[in-house]
Amino acid sequence: MTDIGGALGAAFSMIVHFDRDLAEIVGLSLRVSLSAVFLATVIGMPLGAALALFRFPGRAAVVVLLNALMGLPPVVVGLIVYLLLSRTGPFGVMGLLFTPTAMIIAQVLLVVPIVAALTRQVAEDLWAEYEEQLRSLGAGSGQALVALLWDGRFILMTAVLAGFGRASAEVGGVMIVGGNIDHVTRVMTTAIALEVSKGNLALALGLGIVLIVLSTAISLAAYQIKEATLRRHAI
Amino acid sequence: MPSDVPSPPSVSILPLEARAVSLEAGGKRLIKDLNFTLEAAKSTIVLGPNGAGKSLLLRLCHGLLKPSAGEIVWRGTRGRDPTPYQAMVFQRPVMLRRSVAANIDYALALRKVPRAQRRNLIEDALHRTGLEHFARHPARVLSIGEQQRLALARAWALTPEVLFLDEPTASLDPNATHVIEQVIAAFDAAGTKIIMTTHDLGQARRLADEIVFLHQGRALEISTADDFFAGPIDASAQAFLRGELLWRTPDP
């Protein structure tokens, strides 16, 4: 109990005193995860919508694979990106290992399957409703894909939120490819892991509380936007 | 006013010809050996009980379904793609999750109508269907009757040469049905060829110039509305007209 009381005190004092290190860590966490989610959305949504629209041999296998990849272990993704970016790896010359860019790459790989799989589900339902009308109006596949994503955009916020949840919560990927270097690649989850290993449980829990509050605030904002628009459009 | 009337293309894509058209799905023959020619300037009503294949027939003609055998031929295309000359209104209106005006705008954008012309076309279509006050409303909050009017407005803006309607008033009350029929009459007056399904005999009498009677996937009788309602030759059609068959449950 004293740990939890101390943690709350630590979290409160960090926020009140606006600890510079904390601000830096929070800032980098948000930068990495939001960039990763943005890129994963740009990649994953058209991919998911295309899977909903097109029938091709092996489609079922791709859908199953995509669903399975939603549960990809972050540590494994981290390891793969590490191997690709390490000095001896194929992209070693770019010198990206232990940089925020490497962390973004790892998180993009983690989030794309989530965004794509959830988008496919939403787009497939919408396509079932729209298909005949859009074909009647003469929409090509590309135009239909854009219409599905545009008309599904409010429901699809859920997919983006799920992706953000995964990105901001994972520690294995960013730890391996980022290295948890102070002032360079230290984010909230790796900082928590470090403080736990140092025995600073109160500080670790304080950081955890800040992380939870942040992601809750983002979820809440997204939820309210989504609900308001869904009601307005009677979806 | 010239802008009130969709201008038919100088050369019509009609007549529409079905040549030995059949459709099979799941081992069943749903449409059997259809042969007919539909000319311009006559409203064709496809009549028949539920399950006769009326909706399938419309989808085959509109190109949403491919026949398993035979072919659908637009004899007047002269090499043109017939799709942009057609529009279809479905039994359950499909509304995009956008405003009323944006629903029409989207259809016009797909037909590559320049943005500058779209505004007038949208206004005219909304005016035609009595929806001008709903332009900025999200389409899906409209009542079903209003949604069906918007589906017609969307078709109106496209100035189609041929308009397919699949039981457009099946789920509507008499008031809403009346409004829809008025808009359909306006299409007819503007020179659009109407091809519509219904199982409502009264509606068929009000709108038809020509009847295609469909039963169990076969076109059993194709005749002018006058001849058909004076007394069809086919026995099932006679029974259908008398309202005797089991599939027409009598009103209590």
Side-chain angles (χ1 to χ4, degrees), chain A residues 126 129-130 132-140 143-144 146-147 150-153 155 231-235, chain B residues 59 62-65 83 86-88 90 94-99 106-107 110-111 136 138 140-141 154 158:
Chain A
L126 208 50
E129 183 189 332
Y130 280 9
E132 287 195 319
Q133 182 69 65
L134 291 191
R135 284 177 55 205
S136 170
L137 292 174
Q143 290 163 322
V146 172
W150 179 253
D151 281 29
R153 63 198 182 279
I155 305 176
R231 261 197 310 279
R232 203 174 89 78
H233 282 271
I235 293 167
Chain B
R59 282 165 172 75
H62 189 33
L64 292 176
L65 290 173
T83 312
Q86 308 167 41
M88 181 154 173
F90 297 87
V94 182
M95 297 287 104
L96 302 182
R97 285 150 174 81
R98 308 172 188 208
S99 75
Y106 180 73
L110 284 180
R111 293 280 161 89
R136 308 229 165 274
R140 289 167 60 88
V141 303
R154 185 164 55 193
L158 297 174

Side-chain angles (χ1 to χ4, degrees), chain B residues 63 69 109 120 157 160 169 224 237:
Chain B
N120 282 339
T169 61
T224 66

Side-chain angles (χ1 to χ4, degrees), chain B residues 5-17:
Chain B
V5 180
S7 48
S10 47
V11 184
S12 169
I13 60 167
L14 288 159
L16 166 65
E17 190 182 351

Side-chain angles (χ1 to χ4, degrees), chain B residues 35 89 106 129 138 165-166 189 231 233-234 239:
Chain B
N35 287 287
V89 170
Y106 180 73
T129 49
L165 301 116
D166 186 14
I233 299 156
D234 179 76

Side-chain angles (χ1 to χ4, degrees), chain B:
Chain B
M1 285 191 2
S3 72
D4 279 354
V5 180
S7 48
S10 47
V11 184
S12 169
I13 60 167
L14 288 159
L16 166 65
E17 190 182 351
R19 293 180 187 157
V21 169
S22 292
L23 182 71
E24 283 180 33
K28 283 186 184 166
R29 288 184 69 203
L30 302 171
I31 293 287
K32 298 159 191 160
D33 195 30
L34 286 186
N35 287 287
F36 56 73
T37 302
L38 303 181
E39 306 279 351
K42 282 192 287 187
S43 291
T44 304
I45 300 287
V46 181
L47 203 56
N50 287 329
K54 304 189 295 292
S55 297
L56 295 176
L57 171 61
L58 281 202
R59 282 165 172 75
L60 284 163
C61 291
H62 189 33
L64 292 176
L65 290 173
K66 292 259 170 293
S68 314
E71 56 181 342
I72 297 286
V73 181
W74 295 92
R75 289 219 309 252
T77 54
R78 301 183 184 198
R80 294 170 297 172
D81 174 11
T83 312
Y85 300 93
Q86 308 167 41
M88 181 154 173
V89 170
F90 297 87
Q91 182 175 342
R92 287 186 53 199
V94 182
M95 297 287 104
L96 302 182
R97 285 150 174 81
R98 308 172 188 208
S99 75
V100 166
N103 262 273
I104 303 176
D105 186 71
Y106 180 73
L108 291 170
L110 284 180
R111 293 280 161 89
K112 298 190 171 60
V113 176
R115 199 176 290 269
Q117 294 174 26
R118 288 187 220 156
R119 179 196 286 256
N120 282 339
L121 288 167
I122 292 168
E123 267 178 24
D124 175 47
L126 291 178
H127 177 69
R128 277 280 164 190
T129 49
L131 291 171
E132 53 269 74
H133 299 303
F134 293 104
R136 308 229 165 274
H137 288 230
R140 289 167 60 88
V141 303
L142 301 182
S143 72
I144 290 295
E146 287 160 353
Q147 289 190 14
Q148 197 59 291
R149 268 147 70 190
L150 174 52
L152 280 163
R154 185 164 55 193
W156 182 273
L158 297 174
T159 61
E161 194 189 331
V162 179
L163 176 65
F164 294 99
L165 301 116
D166 186 14
E167 307 240 9
T169 61
S171 41
L172 302 184
D173 63 33
N175 270 332
T177 299
H178 177 66
V179 176
I180 298 295
E181 286 187 10
Q182 281 185 320
V183 180
I184 294 171
F187 269 104
D188 183 46
T192 298
K193 162 84 179 173
I194 303 290
I195 303 177
M196 170 170 153
T197 66
T198 184
H199 57 252
D200 177 344
L201 281 172
Q203 186 166 60
R205 279 180 209 273
R206 288 191 292 276
L207 296 174
D209 296 318
E210 175 181 56
I211 297 284
V212 174
F213 179 73
L214 207 63
H215 182 37
Q216 294 178 345
R218 283 186 200 286
L220 296 180
E221 184 149 347
I222 300 172
S223 55
T224 66
D226 291 342
D227 288 350
F228 186 85
F229 289 114
I233 299 156
D234 179 76
S236 319
Q238 288 168 3
F240 183 75
L241 267 190
R242 287 196 302 272
E244 273 180 8
L245 292 184
L246 287 176
W247 56 63
R248 276 189 64 79
T249 42
D251 291 327

